[in-house]
Amino acid sequence: MSEAVARARPTFVPRGEGWAGWMLCLPAVLSYLLLLLLPTLAAVLLAFTDYELGAPGLAWIGLGNFQELLDDRGFRISLRNTLIYVGIVAPVSIAGALALALLIEAATRGRALFRAVFFLPMVSLPVAMATAWQYLLHPTIGPLNAALAQLGIAGPAWLTSSDTVLLSLAFIGIWEAIGFNLVLFLAGLTAIPRELHQAAEVDGVKSAWERFRLVTWPLLGPTTLFVVTITMIRSVRVFDSVAVLTQGGPNRASEVLLYTMYTEGFTFFRLGYSAAITLVFLIIVLGLMLLQTRVLDKRVHYG
Amino acid sequence: MAEPRANPWPCALRLAFLALLGLLFLMPYIWMISASLKPLDEIFRASLNLLPETGGTLRNYARVFENVPVLTYLWNGVVVCAGILFFQLLFAVPAGYALAKLHFPGRDWLFGLVMLGLLVPYHVPALPLYVGFSWLGLLNTYTALITPSIISVFAIFLFRQFFKALPDELIHAARIDGMNELSIVWRVILPNALPAATAFAIFSVVAHWNDLFWPLIVVTGAERATPALGVLTFRSEEAGDDFGALMAASVIMTAPLVLAFLFAQRRFVEGIATTGLKG
Amino acid sequence: MAGIVISGVRKRFGDVQVLRDVSLSVAPGEFVALVGPSGCGKTTLMRIVAGIERHDAGSLDIGGRQVGGLRAADRDVAMVFQSYALYPHLTVAENIAVPLTMRRLSSWQRLPLLGRFWPGARATRAGIAADAAAAADSLGLGAMLGRRPAQLSGGQRQRVALARAIVRSPKAFLMDEPLSNLDAALRVQTRREIVDIHRRVGATTLYVTHDQSEALTMADRVAVMQAGQILQVDTPERIYADPADLRVATFIGSPRINTLPAEIRADGMVMVAGLAMGLRAEGAAGEATLALRPEDLRPDPAGTLPVVTEHLEFLGECTLLHARHAGLGTALTLRLPPGATAAQGPFRLGFSAPRALVFGADGRRRAVRVLEAAHV
Ligand SMILES: Nc1ncnc2c1ncn2[C@@H]1O[C@H](COP(=O)(O)OP(=O)(O)OP(=O)(O)O)[C@@H](O)[C@H]1O
Ligand SMILES: [Mg+2]
């Protein structure tokens, strides 16, 4: 009995509060079920069927789609390209943003201006900017190759040669991602107590490098971890630039996961197969999040 | 850091380096605008002159307005973004409040669902949603563009965290004054939610104005195309290699958000930083 | 052991002159407390001595060496910050070891990973760990070497900050309100510990506080600062009994010293409300202030201060009598023995004339002679 009393006391519920709580949540709950949970479950189930849009019926084929994925050279290329893309974009845009943030934070002059400049791609229509890049990187009329020609270098066909296309896309990806990471790093830097830097100086820290090692880097840990995870997740989702600039070409050299899923699903209407690709994509994203919360989180929080 | 002598980057070097890098960063914008003002033959000469030799022409812009329903695209973008934001706030603010401040059976369970939803990228439910909309005959409609995004678990999460930080006394005082839960949400919570709502609004509008994936799936043709889709169709169907017009169209479609950003820079950066860090 | 000599230091932030011509010297091994109201520039002065902030004018000398142009790392002083400024990612042992690591290991030996294998690194590191542990032990932190700051109580964190300061033998200690984040009981206890450390190590110490009782109980000498100026530097006893400036007299002492508007006549007599106080001041005639400590006042039918009782305040070890001067309306406070009761209605107060303080119109102290006949 005393147990019941003890449990009842802290959660004293005013009359009607339970009802009000559910009523206030109801629109969100209904739309959540209908627009998020149900379709997600359906997508998962779809991955185990041979459903094609317009086909009269569908059959449960178990792991058939995944079997096919393993044998599908196109998918393997797509997965590999995505990993390469993430492998380039994430490290470069993170390290670059960190360096930029330190440089911008080092003095007050021009801080707001530079922050705005590097942030600009975040708010620019990616499709439009992709077309701007297409012009910039155009093999014959593009300013980049024109400039290279002045130096006596024959520039490659950046976006239409299978040797350079992925690199060019990654470069555009870095350009897009760096501003966002920069803003996060700047927020992280301003959260470091100034007194810690000063204590370090009194303790005998003389060089910028030592200060970075002793104070900035460890205290930036949570921010860095977050930036690493979100940058990887965002770059796994690369779609716009591929859809606009290369459509996966030439010769599948720029085929990436989401674009493959899009073409399988909405060009060839093989929804079951496309759902299987989606599932692979989902597993990668979940894996990255798990890495953040389970493995790395413990190492950067000093609570 | 307070001592100038301890500063490893002599000021001038820092400024010069940042300025150079900033300029490189702006290259796509600079050349986009430059090309949009050049006549076609000049573009094809691939000269490195930024300024058009002929003193510039607005003919590219005129061509875009003649051949492309630019205003329709922009209007569609506004309708879609506004519609999505409206419903997102309408659903998320009360839910966020209830999850933060009310005690009711199943609350923790609901919050678990929200956390679960945060893990799922919006690309995942896209396939079944497409099937659903096509089955209902709703492709090429605002409904199809707006509906999938009206529920934002991220917004619920954001508002819940924000309301958790508000003092309970605020709500208790309102209850003592005799308000019911709905008017508490409307009169007490909503005004207090403004900072979080602004941050989220910026995040949401930027995301949906720029989104290509979903419009590409559910919209064909110009009538319901959003700016992102508009540029894409214009590029592949009409312009081809007419880079002058293409750049002009890009400038027009990019301008609204960029201008808004330039006017409310602080808010944008803070909005993206707070939503980014919470997300 | 080295002394600190600050002379003519000025500092402005934007258009606020925070320090105006501050001079102060701390002898080798001396403990000087710097007190003053909030915002008077104490922290700024301390940070200038530490080398965290730069001064606009004046000179700094630590241990006979001009340090004005040196950076913090080269000045060889230790500082305890108000917020402790512990490195949150390092353990207690590592926190305490930082100043030694930075000084004893070469930058090669400090390299991540590789540094450990650099010649001599192992032995030096062992020495550092031993010294850090010894410093921790001396402050009772021996059992907490492996913890992070977040796992410590406020008092323990404070002691880690102290240990980080004493682990090397710096030329001087600078402490900026190290006790202000502790609760009252802990504050008194840590106060003792700091005094003990000072006695043991004998290090030159400049200690900032806005708590006058801290300053009076701990320091060899107290420097009173106000609005960016040092008003007086003296032993605690003399700061209390013999203040050079009216602002020092009113800042030090609780309850506050009583001040009465007075006049110095041409013949030097000090008059309050037309009555002679039995004091003769030197120097020019004019307006003045008579200041009397609460414990120097007593009811005296033959006294020169007619007052009306307002109320009594029982404090335990004593009773405060709040009264008002009958003619001037000025409030007066007396410290009476605990059992005392007060006469209702008007009565008279006397004071111990040798302890009376007279200040000129400029606030500076005036020398006075006590007249033989108390009532003239
Ligand atoms: N970096 C700065 N920029 C501008 N003004 C400053 C700065 N640091 C201090 N000040 C100003 O200088 C004055 C003195 O500040 P300081 O911190 O030295 O006071 P303090 O005596 O330590 O006060 P407290 O007892 O509250 O710590 C204050 O008015 C403060 O506002
Ligand atoms: Mg201070």
Side-chain angles (χ1 to χ4, degrees):
Chain A
M1 204 186 104
S2 66
E3 223 184 288
V5 172
R7 272 210 292 152
R9 209 185 307 128
T11 55
F12 161 74
V13 180
R15 279 160 63 82
E17 196 169 313
W19 191 78
W22 274 102
M23 280 302 119
L24 290 174
C25 287
L26 196 65
V29 169
L30 285 183
S31 49
Y32 177 92
L33 292 179
L34 210 65
L35 296 168
L36 194 60
L37 195 61
L38 220 61
T40 302
L41 291 179
V44 172
L45 290 181
L46 219 52
F48 299 93
T49 69
D50 64 353
Y51 184 57
E52 295 192 13
L53 200 67
L58 79 178
W60 185 264
I61 56 168
L63 291 175
N65 284 326
F66 297 94
Q67 194 66 51
E68 193 183 337
L69 279 180
L70 283 181
D71 302 333
D72 183 347
R73 206 177 73 86
F75 173 76
R76 285 209 311 270
I77 291 173
S78 168
L79 189 62
R80 202 200 62 185
N81 285 345
T82 309
L83 295 182
I84 293 175
Y85 180 88
V86 175
I88 298 173
V89 171
V92 177
S93 72
I94 292 166
L98 179 59
L100 270 180
L102 289 171
L103 204 56
I104 289 179
E105 188 65 18
T108 37
R109 292 246 328 254
R111 215 182 260 181
L113 174 73
F114 290 121
R115 197 182 56 179
V117 166
F118 294 112
F119 193 74
L120 209 51
M122 262 302 281
V123 293
S124 306
L125 195 66
V127 182
M129 293 326 291
T131 36
W133 279 109
Q134 188 186 23
Y135 166 61
L136 211 63
L137 300 178
H138 196 282
T140 51
I141 64 169
L144 177 60
N145 277 2
L148 286 177
Q150 300 260 305
L151 300 173
I153 303 169
W158 298 103
L159 287 167
T160 42
S161 141
S162 52
D163 296 332
T164 51
V165 64
L166 204 56
L167 263 179
S168 306
L169 287 174
F171 184 79
I172 298 174
I174 292 166
W175 178 83
E176 281 173 346
I178 225 165
F180 183 61
N181 294 349
L182 172 70
V183 165
L184 297 181
F185 274 129
L186 282 177
L189 281 178
T190 39
I192 298 178
R194 294 176 59 88
E195 283 201 339
L196 275 185
H197 286 293
Q198 296 162 352
E201 279 201 26
V202 176
D203 282 343
V205 169
K206 292 183 187 173
S207 64
W209 160 245
E210 290 285 0
R211 186 170 55 219
F212 178 75
R213 261 200 61 207
L214 181 66
V215 180
T216 316
W217 177 248
L219 275 110
L220 219 45
T223 310
T224 309
L225 169 62
F226 176 74
V227 171
V228 167
T229 324
I230 195 147
T231 309
M232 291 206 280
I233 290 175
R234 286 165 72 101
S235 44
V236 174
R237 301 199 307 213
V238 55
F239 177 80
D240 291 13
S241 53
V242 174
V244 176
L245 294 176
T246 66
Q247 284 96 44
N251 194 22
R252 298 198 158 162
S254 64
E255 193 82 42
V256 291
L257 221 47
L258 271 189
Y259 193 75
T260 311
M261 170 240 173
Y262 170 80
T263 40
E264 289 295 344
F266 302 100
T267 311
F268 306 126
F269 296 114
R270 300 180 58 202
L271 294 191
Y273 193 58
S274 176
I277 300 176
T278 316
L279 213 56
V280 173
F281 166 72
L282 179 63
I283 287 166
I284 293 177
V285 170
L286 291 182
L288 289 175
M289 290 188 180
L290 203 71
L291 194 70
Q292 174 187 4
T293 51
R294 280 295 142 77
V295 187
L296 297 171
D297 225 16
K298 295 211 173 60
R299 302 188 46 183
V300 295
H301 284 110
Y302 314 113
Chain B
M1 290 252 262
E3 274 200 285
R5 284 163 304 153
N7 195 333
W9 294 89
C11 244
L13 202 66
R14 164 183 174 272
L15 278 182
F17 184 76
L18 282 174
L20 191 72
L21 216 61
L23 205 64
L24 283 177
F25 238 77
L26 294 179
M27 276 303 159
Y29 299 91
I30 295 169
W31 283 102
M32 176 170 83
I33 294 170
S34 156
S36 77
L37 297 172
K38 285 179 182 175
L40 204 54
D41 58 323
E42 203 184 323
I43 294 176
F44 274 98
R45 249 182 288 132
S47 80
L48 276 174
N49 284 344
L50 268 179
L51 295 177
E53 285 157 21
T54 47
T57 168
L58 288 178
R59 202 153 333 123
N60 290 324
Y61 287 89
R63 261 211 317 287
V64 170
F65 275 101
E66 276 162 29
N67 299 332
V68 187
V70 176
L71 294 178
T72 312
Y73 295 159
L74 291 176
W75 174 243
N76 288 342
V78 171
V79 170
V80 169
C81 285
I84 288 175
L85 182 62
F86 173 78
F87 283 108
Q88 281 178 335
L89 291 179
L90 187 72
F91 291 177
V93 171
Y97 163 69
L99 289 178
K101 291 293 183 196
L102 298 184
H103 300 272
F104 56 93
R107 183 187 68 166
D108 297 338
W109 196 74
L110 281 187
F111 188 62
L113 275 186
V114 169
M115 298 303 285
L116 197 67
L118 280 176
L119 300 177
V120 183
Y122 75 107
H123 309 84
V124 174
L127 280 171
L129 283 173
Y130 168 76
V131 176
F133 282 112
S134 103
W135 188 68
L136 292 169
L138 284 174
L139 296 182
N140 285 316
T141 60
Y142 285 139
T143 315
L145 282 169
I146 292 173
T147 314
S149 306
I150 61 176
I151 176 70
S152 164
V153 275
F154 175 57
I156 298 177
F157 175 76
L158 194 72
F159 283 113
R160 185 228 179 222
Q161 299 304 85
F162 183 80
F163 292 144
K164 258 227 145 13
L166 284 185
D168 280 336
E169 285 82 8
L170 206 67
I171 291 142
H172 293 164
R175 286 213 189 107
I176 291 165
D177 289 346
M179 292 193 204
N180 62 22
E181 294 302 324
L182 204 62
S183 52
I184 289 178
V185 172
W186 181 245
R187 293 215 226 138
V188 181
I189 294 301
L190 215 53
N192 277 299
L194 223 55
T198 320
F200 177 74
I202 288 168
F203 166 84
S204 166
V205 168
V206 169
H208 292 108
W209 183 273
N210 289 341
D211 184 34
L212 174 68
F213 186 76
W214 184 246
L216 190 59
I217 291 174
V218 289
V219 171
T220 44
E223 206 180 323
R224 287 287 180 261
T226 58
L229 198 53
V231 174
L232 188 66
T233 19
F234 179 54
R235 203 194 68 103
S236 47
E237 283 168 15
E238 319 212 8
D241 272 346
D242 184 355
F243 275 101
L246 199 54
M247 292 302 113
S250 296
V251 170
I252 296 167
M253 301 298 181
T254 312
L257 263 196
V258 168
L259 288 181
F261 166 67
L262 292 182
F263 276 114
Q265 230 195 83
R266 262 206 109 72
R267 260 181 209 287
F268 262 76
V269 172
E270 274 162 18
I272 298 287
T274 49
T275 50
L277 280 175
K278 293 253 169 62
Chain C
M1 206 48 52
I4 304 173
V5 180
I6 303 164
S7 47
V9 164
R10 290 163 201 276
K11 172 74 181 174
R12 66 187 306 142
F13 285 116
D15 32 307
V16 189
Q17 188 75 41
V18 177
L19 297 179
R20 30 189 120 214
D21 197 8
V22 172
S23 299
L24 174 66
S25 57
V26 185
E30 194 184 20
F31 191 122
V32 169
L34 184 60
V35 274
S38 193
C40 71
K42 306 180 296 287
T43 299
T44 308
L45 180 61
M46 173 148 290
R47 291 156 60 90
I48 286 173
V49 175
I52 296 167
E53 206 89 63
R54 237 163 123 47
H55 50 296
D56 303 335
S59 72
L60 287 172
D61 176 308
I62 297 176
R65 194 164 59 131
Q66 285 296 320
V67 296
L70 296 182
R71 39 198 300 185
D74 297 325
R75 292 190 184 187
D76 196 18
V77 295
M79 182 157 173
V80 178
F81 290 81
Q82 187 169 346
S83 61
Y84 315 142
L86 300 179
Y87 307 107
H89 56 290
L90 300 183
T91 62
V92 168
E94 288 164 339
N95 259 290
I96 298 174
V98 167
L100 299 181
T101 322
M102 289 301 152
R103 288 190 161 76
R104 290 196 198 156
L105 290 174
S106 69
S107 38
W108 292 113
Q109 291 170 328
R110 283 200 304 267
L111 278 183
L113 300 176
L114 278 184
R116 306 207 158 259
F117 306 106
W118 208 262
R122 186 181 293 269
T124 316
R125 274 184 193 278
I128 290 173
D131 287 358
D137 270 337
S138 73
L139 282 161
L141 292 166
M144 298 161 204
L145 286 177
R147 292 206 209 159
R148 294 239 167 90
Q151 300 162 312
L152 299 177
S153 72
Q156 289 165 342
R157 277 179 220 176
Q158 210 279 330
R159 270 180 273 159
V160 177
L162 275 176
R164 187 173 63 176
I166 63 168
V167 68
R168 65 192 155 113
S169 308
K171 293 214 175 83
F173 285 120
L174 306 173
M175 306 195 188
D176 189 2
E177 308 202 17
L179 306 185
S180 62
N181 286 341
L182 304 182
D183 65 40
L186 207 51
R187 203 178 302 168
V188 174
Q189 182 199 333
T190 318
R191 201 193 271 179
R192 282 213 55 79
E193 282 178 7
I194 292 180
V195 173
D196 282 347
I197 292 174
H198 177 250
R199 234 174 251 140
R200 208 165 61 226
V201 189
T204 312
T205 305
L206 182 58
Y207 184 101
V208 163
T209 173
H210 63 240
D211 180 344
Q212 43 162 309
S213 64
E214 225 168 275
L216 295 176
T217 51
M218 296 172 81
D220 298 326
R221 285 193 303 151
V222 175
V224 181
M225 190 171 185
Q226 224 165 66
Q229 278 178 308
I230 291 195
L231 301 175
Q232 185 174 1
V233 190
D234 232 321
T235 60
E237 295 79 14
R238 290 181 54 118
I239 285 278
Y240 186 77
D242 200 10
D245 191 294
L246 181 56
R247 286 172 291 175
V248 176
T250 48
F251 182 72
I252 299 288
S254 165
R256 226 177 83 116
I257 198 167
N258 298 297
T259 54
L260 290 158
E263 194 202 341
I264 301 175
R265 275 197 330 218
D267 61 358
M269 295 300 286
V270 178
M271 313 291 288
V272 172
L275 289 177
M277 293 292 114
L279 301 167
R280 172 168 283 153
E282 286 163 16
E287 290 190 354
T289 305
L290 175 64
L292 303 163
R293 296 274 175 207
E295 62 272 23
D296 295 338
L297 285 166
R298 58 178 189 278
D300 177 0
T304 48
L305 301 169
V307 294
V308 182
T309 307
E310 297 242 298
H311 66 277
L312 280 170
E313 196 177 343
F314 178 66
L315 292 184
E317 83 279 10
C318 68
T319 299
L320 295 183
L321 169 66
H322 296 277
R324 215 165 261 289
H325 190 278
L328 300 166
T330 320
L332 291 165
T333 309
L334 283 77
R335 194 195 292 268
L336 299 172
T341 54
Q344 288 302 313
F347 66 108
R348 286 180 167 260
L349 292 180
F351 57 89
S352 83
R355 301 170 67 102
L357 306 170
V358 176
F359 298 90
D362 57 355
R364 303 302 297 170
R365 179 77 178 281
R366 291 294 193 82
V368 289
R369 272 187 309 122
V370 180
L371 297 183
E372 291 304 329
H375 322 292
V376 180

